[in-house]
Amino acid sequence: MYSGEEIIRAVESGELVIKPFSKEQVNPNSYNLTLAGELLVYVADVLDCKSENATRKITIPDEGYVLVPNTLYLAETREYTETENCVPQISGRSSVGRIGLTVHQSSGCGSLGFKGTWTLGITCVTPTKVYKGMEVGQIYFFPVVGDANIKYDGHYNGTGVKSSQVQRQFEK
């Protein structure tokens, strides 16, 4: 796993891309990720894995937005990352976990070659107010051992909050 110093070195050398980058967000072995300004919520009561599920957009106002339990909020990180020779992994910050926020439901492990902002799956156990720009998660970087020729080039690359594309597996 990259140390905080190694994250700074890798960003400064161009080996790793984190935009925007702030040394104040560097931890001993991770980098804090912040919440962008929009959320998506699914509108149906039942989600269908074989269909594209409709969502509605919520803009987080400056005064914050109250999340409610039993709702999945898809959120975007402000940080755009690119990794060619290390595997990114995200997790929630312990500070937000201690107030009952979960910042991703699964798929915390990214892929070599991922280029984009991260879509988070946020839930809460009690009504909780969140703010754009707040540090909600952490990203870790693991060096790859062996050849790293297979790179991610999928539909989640890029920017913007992305809803599930699970239905694509049924289109084959």
Side-chain angles (χ1 to χ4, degrees), residues 7 12 20 32 40 45-46 51 53 68 82 90 102 137-138 156:
I7 292 170
E12 289 176 346
N32 284 348
L40 290 182
D45 291 332
V46 175
S51 301
N53 293 282
V68 297
E82 291 183 14
I90 61 170
T102 301
Q138 296 174 306
Y156 294 118

Side-chain angles (χ1 to χ4, degrees), residues 132-144:
K132 59 185 166 187
M134 72 179 282
E135 295 178 352
V136 293
Q138 296 174 306
I139 188 166
Y140 307 88
F141 302 97
F142 296 88
V144 173

Side-chain angles (χ1 to χ4, degrees), residues 59-73:
T59 300
I60 301 172
D62 291 339
E63 61 273 10
Y65 183 81
V66 177
L67 306 180
V68 297
N70 300 317
T71 301
L72 174 63
Y73 297 89

Side-chain angles (χ1 to χ4, degrees), residues 47 78 81 109 119 125 133:
L47 301 180
R78 276 204 283 191
T81 65
C109 190
T119 296
V125 297

Side-chain angles (χ1 to χ4, degrees), residues 60-153:
I60 301 172
D62 291 339
E63 61 273 10
Y65 183 81
V66 177
L67 306 180
V68 297
N70 300 317
T71 301
L72 174 63
Y73 297 89
L74 300 178
E76 178 184 19
T77 63
R78 276 204 283 191
E79 291 75 21
Y80 172 96
T81 65
E82 291 183 14
T83 56
E84 291 294 325
N85 296 307
C86 59
V87 176
Q89 184 171 0
I90 61 170
S91 68
R93 291 185 63 226
S94 64
S95 296
V96 297
R98 292 173 192 195
I99 60 170
L101 284 181
T102 301
V103 300
H104 71 87
Q105 295 302 306
S106 65
S107 66
C109 190
S111 297
L112 286 171
F114 174 75
K115 298 176 182 180
T117 54
W118 290 79
T119 296
L120 308 172
I122 299 177
T123 58
C124 59
V125 297
T126 189
T128 306
K129 188 182 277 193
V130 297
Y131 301 86
K132 59 185 166 187
M134 72 179 282
E135 295 178 352
V136 293
Q138 296 174 306
I139 188 166
Y140 307 88
F141 302 97
F142 296 88
V144 173
V145 176
D147 294 337
N149 299 317
I150 300 171
K151 305 287 184 174
Y152 179 78
D153 188 27

